[in-house]
Amino acid sequence: MSRSADRHNLRGHAATLLFYPFLMLMVSVLTYHPLYLGTELLVLIFALALHGGVRTFGRTLKFSIPILVLILAINTLLNKNGATLLYKGPTVAILGQIRITWEALAYGLIMGLRMLVFFAIFALALNWLSADRALGLSAKVAKRSAVTVMMTTRLIPYLTEQSHQIGDVLRTRGVRFEEGNLLSRLAARRPLLNVLLISSLEGSWQVAESMEARGFGQGKRTSYSRERWSRIDLIIWLTFLAAIALVVWSWFTAWTWIEFYPRIQTVMADEGPWPTVFHAVALALLLALPPLLLKKRRRTSNGTS
Amino acid sequence: MIRRVLSWLIVLVALGGIYLAYTLWPDEDLNWAVASLVLLLLGLGLFYLRYERSRVSSKEIAVIASLAAFAIVGRIIFAPFPNFKPTTYLVILAGYVFGPRAGFMVGATAAVASNVYFGQGAWTPWQMLAWGLAGASAGLFGRLRGEKVTPYELAAFGMVWGFLFGWIMNLWTWLSTVYPLTFETWLLTNTTSLLFDISHAAANVIFALLLTRRFLPILWRFRKKLTITTLEVLPHEKSN
């Protein structure tokens, strides 16, 4: 679980907090216009910075470098549809003749940008919504599935603890977990797994019995914590609607449209860059609004009434 | 009945979506990033709908949760071996014995719950799908072979899933960031994870050979215990 999240500074209903990343994801898969993707990344970094999640994002970036290199390499080396030749090399097996074009390079770079946007979206979702709240929300729509996941998350630390105990017992009986080659070390853990499987299955029987005794599945599900809708949520959902309308409009006017091959084409060539730029900026401003509204104002020491 | 209608509705929406996508963008211009995401969510939704609508007993829920937790804890127990994790094999085993629905749920639940501890990300829904399908297909295999199965058959099954798992996980990267979508680009995308896939498949084979003989009888026994039928309340008792 992400520990850097500063969730006390956040307000809003769980559904609002979940829909925002989803909306961002839909925008990033609908278009690969670099202008839209770029402004989206800026908005995401702004949101992460505002709510203290930049470090989480930074950590995921380390893992994303190989994927980014891979995306760039596959797109530039394998795509031969571009018209503007940058480099022509020898013929290689599988790849054919090496032919690097500007269009393929730009495509690879923009797709890398898209991948960064994906990572930022998930970093934000993690930062905003704890697993408990997300599960609590999904329990509203999918009761049994949410209960299954909740029970699993509860069982993991319990079973881990139990596995340590079983391991200790086995050690006192002379089982050596760290001796021998790989196979024998793997096999040494077999009795441990065996005992753990039986005890966890037996335990599940007891859980089921107590669920029955407490009347699981009878009537409406009760919950300790309650999600509340506030005026802020209403305003944010209105900005969501406005953003969706704007995206649909941009989609139909082809501002989000970009064609890479054989040459990069956008509507910017026909009608000048400004309509597209205005739209991208307007969308960015709209999307930057929810993180700002969700930020809880800090109470000053004399302002607590 | 409603469940069946809803399930078919989702399937029809998915098929209709694919048809529309192809007629609207006939020249390979389909936005696969969107299409794959929508299809994935519909597919997962279909499985979850089945689970929600079927009258799953609290015993079944508890067993599924225990097996999913067990699969994840297996990952923790084998922490000293970075490339040998029994999770996939345990999901397959659970699906094999308890059937496709329980198998899918064990796999998908293991993916969500393990990522609560190890970090959620864009890969979570794909991991849910990959492990879920591993469990569900094992369930179908189980219906076919039943209790006669040998560890070698399950080892072969696990080996196949070692690779399929990696391919499913790479699918989104390929669909949403690579152009053109040809066999060559697919192959190259998958070569980057080839070493992981090979060690994943090897781990499945080793665990199948190590664990099957001991674990299958335990699981069969619990399955028998699970299929206890509850009695209906008699009419004269209802009036009280």
Side-chain angles (χ1 to χ4, degrees):
Chain A
M1 257 180 275
S2 137
R3 270 185 215 98
S4 60
D6 193 6
R7 291 189 189 99
H8 300 293
N9 281 333
L10 198 67
R11 51 182 165 192
H13 193 277
T16 314
L17 300 179
L18 202 65
F19 192 78
Y20 182 72
F22 180 73
L23 185 67
M24 290 298 233
L25 188 68
M26 285 325 279
V27 173
S28 64
V29 289
L30 265 174
T31 176
Y32 30 63
H33 199 299
L35 202 59
Y36 281 85
L37 286 177
T39 47
E40 212 188 334
L41 187 62
L42 286 180
V43 170
L44 283 163
I45 290 172
F46 165 72
L48 280 166
L50 201 64
H51 295 278
V54 177
R55 200 170 288 174
T56 328
F57 181 48
R59 267 202 300 272
T60 53
L61 278 189
K62 260 186 273 173
F63 299 105
S64 66
I65 291 169
I67 303 171
L68 296 179
V69 171
L70 162 85
I71 291 169
L72 192 63
I74 290 183
N75 280 303
T76 43
L77 291 179
L78 277 174
N79 201 307
K80 299 178 174 62
N81 299 323
T84 320
L85 193 68
L86 292 180
Y87 170 79
K88 202 169 180 177
T91 311
V92 186
I94 305 175
L95 300 177
Q97 195 186 29
I98 301 280
R99 189 173 171 278
I100 294 173
T101 61
W102 157 241
E103 285 79 11
L105 185 67
Y107 188 85
L109 286 172
I110 291 167
M111 288 304 123
L113 177 66
R114 188 189 231 184
M115 213 58 187
L116 282 181
V117 171
F118 289 159
F119 282 125
I121 290 171
F122 281 96
L124 187 73
L126 260 186
N127 186 261
W128 275 9
L129 207 58
S130 69
D132 288 338
R133 277 183 84 181
L135 277 174
L137 184 69
S138 54
K140 295 251 187 303
V141 265
K143 197 169 63 177
R144 285 166 203 276
S145 324
V147 166
T148 315
V149 177
M150 282 171 187
M151 212 187 282
T152 310
T153 48
R154 185 195 76 94
L155 280 171
I156 291 168
Y158 172 69
L159 286 184
T160 313
E161 180 60 33
Q162 221 178 11
S163 79
H164 291 313
Q165 288 171 3
I166 300 166
D168 288 342
V169 171
L170 288 172
R171 260 189 218 99
T172 58
R173 284 184 175 185
V175 177
R176 296 282 164 266
F177 288 118
E178 308 306 333
E179 276 174 20
N181 59 6
L182 181 72
L183 258 181
S184 55
R185 275 187 294 151
L186 284 173
R189 281 166 175 77
R190 186 167 53 180
L192 172 64
L193 280 178
N194 210 352
V195 177
L196 196 64
L197 175 66
I198 293 173
S199 93
S200 73
L201 283 171
E202 290 286 355
S204 77
W205 248 229
Q206 288 163 11
V207 170
E209 273 158 16
S210 66
M211 276 165 83
E212 296 272 323
R214 284 159 183 241
F216 172 75
Q218 312 289 318
K220 220 175 153 213
R221 190 172 177 276
T222 55
S223 154
Y224 283 119
S225 56
R226 204 172 283 259
E227 294 283 344
R228 285 180 204 287
W229 289 97
S230 66
R231 211 157 43 97
I232 296 285
D233 288 295
L234 182 73
I235 301 169
I236 290 172
W237 278 89
L238 286 176
T239 59
F240 286 165
L241 280 180
I244 291 169
L246 201 64
V247 170
V248 172
W249 187 21
S250 308
W251 172 266
F252 278 107
T253 49
W255 284 316
T256 58
W257 175 79
I258 183 166
E259 183 73 55
F260 282 90
Y261 304 108
R263 273 175 208 288
I264 297 178
Q265 285 179 335
T266 57
V267 286
M268 284 161 118
D270 305 327
E271 52 180 39
W274 295 114
T276 316
V277 171
F278 277 136
H279 256 251
V281 170
L283 186 66
L285 289 178
L286 262 181
L287 289 175
L289 213 56
L292 263 180
L293 289 170
L294 287 168
K295 176 92 179 165
K296 214 177 232 178
R297 278 182 218 96
R298 277 185 197 284
R299 285 180 184 169
T300 47
S301 52
N302 53 357
T304 45
S305 52
Chain B
M1 185 62 203
I2 300 171
R3 184 191 91 199
R4 209 156 274 239
V5 170
L6 265 172
S7 311
W8 279 109
L9 207 66
I10 292 186
V11 173
L12 280 179
V13 166
L15 289 177
I18 294 169
Y19 176 75
L20 266 180
Y22 265 105
T23 43
L24 285 177
W25 296 278
D27 46 349
E28 292 178 16
D29 226 16
L30 174 63
N31 186 338
W32 271 108
V34 178
S36 60
L37 201 65
V38 170
L39 279 178
L40 169 78
L41 293 179
L42 279 176
L44 285 178
L46 196 68
F47 271 105
Y48 275 101
L49 190 75
R50 273 195 67 131
Y51 186 68
E52 287 297 324
R53 296 279 162 168
S54 60
R55 300 238 165 267
V56 190
S57 66
S58 44
K59 266 188 186 168
E60 202 173 338
I61 292 180
V63 166
I64 287 171
S66 294
L67 287 171
F70 179 64
I72 299 161
V73 173
R75 193 170 151 176
I76 298 166
I77 292 173
F78 286 87
F81 313 89
N83 294 322
F84 288 94
K85 302 285 181 235
T87 312
T88 310
Y89 182 66
L90 293 176
V91 168
I92 287 174
L93 212 56
Y96 187 86
V97 174
F98 290 97
R101 190 180 66 200
F104 184 90
M105 279 310 291
V106 170
T109 308
V112 181
S114 87
N115 290 347
V116 167
Y117 290 88
F118 300 104
Q120 305 277 358
W123 54 85
T124 305
W126 293 94
Q127 212 172 5
M128 284 165 73
L129 183 79
W131 269 338
L133 284 180
S137 60
L140 292 177
F141 182 43
R143 280 189 186 165
L144 210 69
R145 289 290 295 154
E147 297 191 37
K148 288 174 291 183
V149 76
T150 61
Y152 299 104
E153 287 172 61
L154 281 173
F157 192 81
M159 191 174 79
V160 172
W161 265 106
F163 289 99
L164 280 180
F165 185 89
W167 294 344
I168 291 175
M169 295 302 285
N170 292 336
L171 202 60
W172 203 47
T173 314
W174 180 63
L175 284 174
S176 61
T177 59
V178 173
Y179 184 89
L181 298 174
T182 57
F183 182 67
E184 282 87 14
T185 56
W186 180 81
L187 209 63
L188 262 189
T189 313
N190 284 324
T191 47
T192 46
S193 69
L194 192 66
L195 280 178
F196 290 102
D197 296 341
I198 290 175
S199 73
H200 191 181
N204 288 349
V205 170
I206 291 174
F207 282 114
L209 298 178
L210 274 178
L211 306 177
T212 308
R213 263 188 232 288
R214 289 214 192 169
F215 279 23
L216 266 185
I218 300 174
L219 290 170
W220 283 121
R221 178 172 168 266
F222 270 89
R223 195 197 127 118
K224 281 187 191 120
K225 280 176 87 173
L226 192 73
T227 44
I228 298 167
T229 45
T230 47
L231 290 173
E232 286 289 316
V233 179
L234 295 171
H236 69 270
E237 287 175 337
K238 244 180 200 169
S239 55
N240 301 338

